[in-house]
């Protein structure tokens, strides 16, 4: 995972370093204990088909820290060009590359050096010629206008203080009629400032959650029509503190499909 840009409530440098440190640990030490679940058990419970996971790099699966499944909404086709915003360990990018085939192309972008290096190593090791990883920020994607068929993202956009900019970038790089398919963390009610201004809670995928209504308004203002939203009831945080916040503020995982107008 991940990303950053501008915020009035947080120290940008501290926030970015917190997130980078969190997901550096995830990349390098996937067997350690985190407040969120990881790996194959999580992926299978969220809905990833085992027969496809069996074709993907096991190291990428071990570091998988997504929050939902959305490929049933993405309906990827052979030959399409995909970008994964905040590609992390690369599992979703590898999954997409498997689905679009040799004639397709998948790009993963991530700001965390350890995640980028691991995903790129696994790409080369496993000969995924139709997949490329780049280091960068999801608010400033280094791709031309209208060059992508499908944008995907899993558990990342909640980490950005400038979600509106992320969605505008997604709209910019998508072709007309292109699809944005994602899973992410949202809330039912607005979080208090003491949580939103805590960089550690942002890195934990809690502090950056915004109400679903605000989240969808950002998407629509960027030029998308939302087609479907699904709750990911099989996703949950492990720590007691995180679960308590989820209950209090209605923090949950969703999957979403939107079409660029």
């Amino acid at each position: 995972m991940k990303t950053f840009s501008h915020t009035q409530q947080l120290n940008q440098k501290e926030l970015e370093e917190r997130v980078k440190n969190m997901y550096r640990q995830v990349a390098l030490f996937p067997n350690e204990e985190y407040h969120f679940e990881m790996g194959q058990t999580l992926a299978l419970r969220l809905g990833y088909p085992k027969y496809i996971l069996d074709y993907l790099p096991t190291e990428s699966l071990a570091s998988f820290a997504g929050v939902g499944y959305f490929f049933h909404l993405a309906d990827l086709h052979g030959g399409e060009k995909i970008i994964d915003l905040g590609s992390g360990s690369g599992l979703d990018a590898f999954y997409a590359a498997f689905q679009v085939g040799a004639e397709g192309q998948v790009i993963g972008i991530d700001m965390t050096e350890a995640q980028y290096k691991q995903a790129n190593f696994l790409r080369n090791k496993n000969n995924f010629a139709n997949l490329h990883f780049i280091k960068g920020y999801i608010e400033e994607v280094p791709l031309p206008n209208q060059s992508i068929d499908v944008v995907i993202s899993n558990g990342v956009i909640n980490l950005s203080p400038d979600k509106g900019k992320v969605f505008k970038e997604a709209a910019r790089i998508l072709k007309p009629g292109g699809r944005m398919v994602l899973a992410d963390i949202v809330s039912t009610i607005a979080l208090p400032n003491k949580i939103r201004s805590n960089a550690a809670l942002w890195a934990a995928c809690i502090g950056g959650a915004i109400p679903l209504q605000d989240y969808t308004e950002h998407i629509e203002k960027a030029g998308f029509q939302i087609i479907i939203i699904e709750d990911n009831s099989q996703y949950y945080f492990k720590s007691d503190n995180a679960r308590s916040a989820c209950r209090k503020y209605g923090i949950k995982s969703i999957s979403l499909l939107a079409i660029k107008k």
Side-chain angles (χ1 to χ4, degrees):
M1 296 176 176
K2 318 305 178 173
T3 173
F4 288 92
S5 179
H6 306 291
T7 177
Q8 297 178 344
Q9 296 179 315
L10 293 165
N11 179 295
Q12 179 185 343
K13 184 175 180 181
E14 179 189 2
L15 175 56
E16 182 172 329
E17 286 307 310
R18 287 272 190 172
V19 173
K20 284 182 175 179
N21 288 337
M22 170 72 76
Y23 293 100
R24 181 183 302 116
Q25 293 297 111
V26 167
L28 299 177
F29 308 105
N31 295 321
E32 296 294 321
E33 283 293 319
Y34 300 95
H35 76 282
F36 44 78
E37 191 176 356
M38 291 169 50
Q40 178 171 289
T41 300
L42 170 64
L44 291 173
R45 191 173 69 246
L46 292 177
Y48 285 78
K50 188 176 186 303
Y51 78 94
I52 294 182
L53 293 180
D54 287 343
Y55 281 95
L56 309 183
T58 56
E59 300 94 332
S60 180
L61 180 56
S63 295
F64 172 69
V67 303
Y69 180 73
F70 51 70
F71 283 102
H72 61 301
L73 303 177
D75 189 27
L76 301 184
H77 302 296
E80 288 190 309
K81 188 172 182 179
I82 318 297
I83 187 166
D84 183 3
L85 301 182
S87 46
S89 67
L91 185 75
D92 286 324
F94 286 113
Y95 191 115
F98 178 82
Q99 290 201 314
V100 300
E103 299 302 315
Q105 182 182 1
V106 179
I107 301 167
I109 182 170
D110 201 283
M111 75 171 189
T112 302
E113 182 77 11
Q115 294 273 30
Y116 158 73
K117 283 186 173 180
Q118 174 172 286
N120 204 45
F121 169 77
L122 294 174
R123 176 260 182 196
N124 294 333
K125 177 182 176 182
N126 293 275
N127 299 313
F128 275 76
N130 64 341
L131 172 59
H132 301 277
F133 291 99
I134 58 177
K135 187 180 176 186
Y137 294 84
I138 66 175
E139 298 90 348
E140 299 174 358
V141 181
L143 291 178
N145 295 348
Q146 299 184 16
S147 58
I148 295 291
D149 295 300
V150 186
V151 169
I152 63 174
S153 184
N154 199 336
V156 177
I157 298 173
N158 78 90
L159 293 170
S160 174
D162 198 343
K163 296 171 180 59
K165 189 173 183 181
V166 176
F167 293 127
K168 288 177 182 177
E169 274 292 271
R172 179 185 67 80
I173 62 177
L174 273 174
K175 299 173 184 177
R179 313 185 298 283
M180 179 175 69
V181 193
L182 58 85
D184 208 3
I185 300 296
V186 298
S187 65
T188 301
I189 60 176
L191 303 182
N193 192 59
K194 66 179 180 180
I195 293 180
R196 291 188 56 78
S197 61
N198 186 316
L201 291 177
W202 273 80
C205 290
I206 292 175
I210 63 174
L212 177 59
Q213 181 176 347
D214 295 344
Y215 194 93
T216 56
E217 284 180 1
H218 280 306
I219 293 173
E220 290 167 344
K221 286 180 181 178
F224 289 95
Q225 178 184 1
I226 296 173
I227 304 301
I228 190 169
I229 300 174
E230 298 179 346
D231 285 351
N232 294 316
S233 60
Q234 295 302 309
Y235 183 79
Y236 51 79
F237 292 95
K238 292 171 64 176
S239 73
D240 291 339
N241 287 342
R243 289 188 179 189
S244 176
C246 291
R247 289 191 296 268
K248 188 171 183 179
Y249 302 108
I251 296 172
K252 64 179 181 178
S253 168
I254 61 162
S255 289
L256 178 151
L257 165 64
I259 306 296
K260 178 181 175 178
K261 295 179 182 178

